[in-house]
Amino acid sequence: MKRVGYWISEKKAKSLNLEDQKEVFRNAGIELIKLDLLHPLEDQGPFDLILHKFTGLMVKAEEGDASSIATLENVKDYIRCHPNCILVDTFDSLKNLIDRNEQYKLLLRCHLLDSDSCVFTPTFVELTTTDISINKVRLQQANVKFPFVCKPIVAHSTSMSHKMCIIFNEYGLKDVQPPCVAQTFINHNAVLYKVFVIGDKQYITERPSLKNFYNEDQETIYFDSSQISKPNCSNALTELDEGDPNRNESPVKPDLELLKELGQVVGLEFQIQLFGIDVIVDCITNKYAVIDINAFPGYEGVDGFVQLLCNHLMSLMNRQAANQSNDKSLAGTKHNSHHLHLENGHCERRKRLKYSSPEPEEHNGVCSKCCDNSFMSGGNKTVHMCQAKSLSEDFSVQVENRAKSDVIPWKQPINGCVEHSL
């Protein structure tokens, strides 16, 4: 039985209800333990893995809150003393998601968002002042157009993270509330796609979103993004206007294969395993705009989420155990090779094991080093390229030679979801 400690906020605990799902975890081979962060984790362990959403504590710690700093140090001390304990997700990876400006800048490094790609992130800029003249210059330099969305710089775990506004003209610049990120608004026919990711699996669900805006001669609109994109939300901001030229157009059927690849690429770039991506489709160009990434989302609409989570956590822990076993085997080989003869100045063991070779090995199907399942297409297993890496890199599997026939047909139940896995 693997031991998994977990901590999430009270609000998230109510939505996920993990305590009532302990039987599911036990059946998967996991003993689930709720962490008491007021006491040393050393006294509560040992733990094979720690599952968490510490983003709220991380925000408070960044602001200098002594209690939050001490709490996080408690967790970090345990990880330092037990390096084989897996942290899902790591503090370093989550830092890039908490700050929206850093999040968007890192997104630009993803190869899927190259200039000639059909995936992009709308132009954006960080605004740190209420000075209208300065903000006008910054917006122009970053090519941010009216209308644009003003988003709080802190993307997670505060009541203000979802409080946003749409500014339509220079007169509205008086409504900028720094620090914030201004992001060009893209008309997308009031449809948002959430790509929920659990390790190497993606689940896509459709949600309501903001309607199209054409008239720049209007007052600033304020809204709460968490309310706008709730399942089945319907109000004046999420319904296309009567005169909207796209009102009677058939909804665009998203390319699921592309969204699946997007989930993989973002996971690789941010080194995260539990996250969600908000994607909209530009109703003029049909290009895909990534507008936000969320750490450990609620996974609403993903059937059997707890079982899927159990499967992923067990995969990580089993992989960790296999890596440890391999490390011990290598260590034993090293110990028994002290008396190997040197030939031309090189160790014979090194030659025989090719221990220092940087070249990846090519293989089909299952690889104990980097993946625990294979993706079948037309009777042929997709070829994966892998290299012995640390566990933090294990899920960084890149799929090559994706065939056109691999595209999964779109099924579009409102708020329904479709599973994709490698």
Side-chain angles (χ1 to χ4, degrees):
M1 186 75 70
K2 302 290 186 180
R3 301 186 85 244
V4 172
Y6 83 96
W7 188 92
I8 53 180
S9 66
E10 289 186 12
K11 180 180 179 181
K12 193 167 189 68
K14 289 179 181 179
S15 64
L16 292 181
N17 202 20
L18 294 184
E19 282 298 301
D20 290 343
Q21 303 282 344
K22 283 191 172 182
E23 186 66 26
V24 178
F25 282 89
R26 276 194 292 270
N27 291 338
I30 295 174
E31 180 185 358
L32 188 69
I33 302 105
K34 187 175 182 179
L35 299 178
D36 181 355
L37 298 182
L38 298 179
H39 295 88
L41 296 192
E42 193 66 50
D43 299 337
Q44 303 171 54
F47 299 110
D48 297 287
L49 182 147
I50 292 177
L51 173 70
H52 73 91
K53 189 170 184 180
F54 288 136
T55 48
L57 292 173
M58 292 172 68
V59 170
K60 291 180 180 178
E62 191 68 25
E63 294 171 348
D65 181 72
S67 176
S68 298
I69 293 173
T71 299
L72 294 179
E73 280 304 312
N74 182 14
V75 179
K76 292 177 181 178
D77 285 344
Y78 186 85
I79 296 298
R80 278 191 289 265
C81 294
H82 303 274
N84 290 324
C85 177
I86 306 165
L87 190 64
V88 178
D89 278 298
T90 67
F91 292 113
D92 286 342
S93 63
L94 291 176
K95 284 180 181 178
N96 294 319
L97 293 184
I98 291 176
D99 185 311
R100 271 199 175 94
N101 191 51
E102 293 303 315
Q103 178 189 134
Y104 295 157
K105 288 196 294 185
L106 190 54
L107 257 176
L108 294 178
R109 292 170 48 181
C110 294
H111 72 81
L112 199 59
L113 278 73
D114 291 341
S115 58
D116 59 346
S117 171
C118 63
V119 182
F120 70 105
T121 190
T123 53
F124 65 92
V125 67
E126 182 178 13
L127 302 179
T128 58
T129 178
T130 58
D131 188 304
I132 293 177
S133 60
I134 292 177
N135 287 339
K136 282 175 62 176
V137 172
R138 297 218 66 192
L139 291 166
Q140 291 169 358
Q141 289 175 338
N143 199 30
V144 175
K145 307 291 187 182
F146 292 110
F148 62 81
V149 185
C150 254
K151 303 180 178 183
I153 196 74
V154 177
H156 289 83
S157 305
T158 75
S159 59
M160 297 302 295
S161 297
H162 301 286
K163 305 295 185 183
M164 305 180 185
C165 67
I166 303 177
I167 294 177
F168 293 88
N169 44 54
E170 289 188 6
Y171 177 76
L173 292 179
K174 62 181 175 50
D175 300 318
V176 168
Q177 298 177 6
C180 64
V181 175
Q183 184 183 64
T184 299
F185 181 81
I186 304 294
N187 281 338
H188 53 283
N189 291 341
V191 176
L192 171 76
Y193 297 102
K194 283 190 172 288
V195 182
F196 291 122
V197 181
I198 307 172
D200 61 359
K201 294 182 173 62
Q202 296 80 35
Y203 304 84
I204 301 164
T205 184
E206 181 181 318
R207 294 284 182 83
S209 187
L210 292 169
K211 65 182 181 180
N212 300 331
F213 293 103
Y214 301 97
N215 181 15
E216 293 186 0
D217 185 23
Q218 57 180 302
E219 295 287 333
T220 298
I221 293 177
Y222 297 86
F223 66 97
D224 185 319
S225 62
S226 65
Q227 298 300 313
I228 287 292
S229 295
K230 274 189 172 181
N232 301 314
C233 173
S234 178
N235 58 46
L237 287 179
T238 61
E239 295 180 0
L240 297 180
D241 295 335
E242 287 290 341
D244 193 312
N246 293 299
R247 183 178 177 86
N248 297 319
E249 293 291 327
S250 299
V252 174
K253 293 183 178 181
D255 183 341
L256 297 186
E257 195 72 3
L258 180 66
L259 293 179
K260 179 179 72 172
E261 186 176 1
L262 176 63
Q264 297 166 2
V265 170
V266 170
L268 286 169
E269 190 64 51
F270 285 81
Q271 291 291 288
I272 48 177
Q273 303 181 51
L274 300 177
F275 62 100
I277 311 173
D278 290 348
V279 182
I280 58 177
V281 181
D282 187 324
C283 64
I284 297 176
T285 66
N286 284 340
K287 288 189 174 183
Y288 295 75
V290 179
I291 58 174
D292 260 320
I293 304 174
N294 308 294
F296 202 165
Y299 291 96
E300 295 92 347
V302 179
D303 293 335
F305 164 69
V306 172
Q307 184 61 62
L308 296 167
L309 178 63
C310 288
N311 294 344
H312 178 59
L313 299 183
M314 281 301 297
S315 173
L316 290 176
M317 291 184 286
N318 289 336
R319 202 177 305 157
Q320 175 76 307
N323 287 348
Q324 290 174 352
S325 177
N326 290 339
D327 289 344
K328 289 179 181 179
S329 176
L330 286 174
T333 303
K334 182 177 181 180
H335 176 76
N336 293 328
S337 66
H338 286 317
H339 302 293
L340 286 175
H341 295 293
L342 291 178
E343 207 174 282
N344 297 325
H346 297 283
C347 176
E348 184 66 24
R349 174 186 62 84
R350 178 167 175 167
K351 288 171 59 181
R352 178 152 40 88
L353 295 179
K354 299 181 180 178
Y355 186 69
S356 62
S357 172
E359 295 296 323
E361 59 182 276
E362 182 173 328
H363 61 91
N364 289 332
V366 178
C367 168
S368 62
K369 295 175 184 174
C370 70
C371 51
D372 52 22
N373 62 345
S374 57
F375 181 65
M376 301 296 295
S377 172
N380 297 318
K381 295 183 179 180
T382 299
V383 174
H384 300 276
M385 300 297 290
C386 79
Q387 196 169 357
K389 299 180 179 181
S390 66
L391 185 71
S392 64
E393 297 171 292
D394 276 347
F395 68 94
S396 303
V397 182
Q398 297 196 43
V399 179
E400 303 291 343
N401 304 324
R402 176 164 57 85
K404 298 279 186 182
S405 59
D406 291 343
V407 177
I408 303 171
W410 171 245
K411 302 173 184 177
Q412 199 174 14
I414 297 299
N415 302 317
C417 62
V418 182
E419 174 184 348
H420 309 284
S421 62
L422 292 178

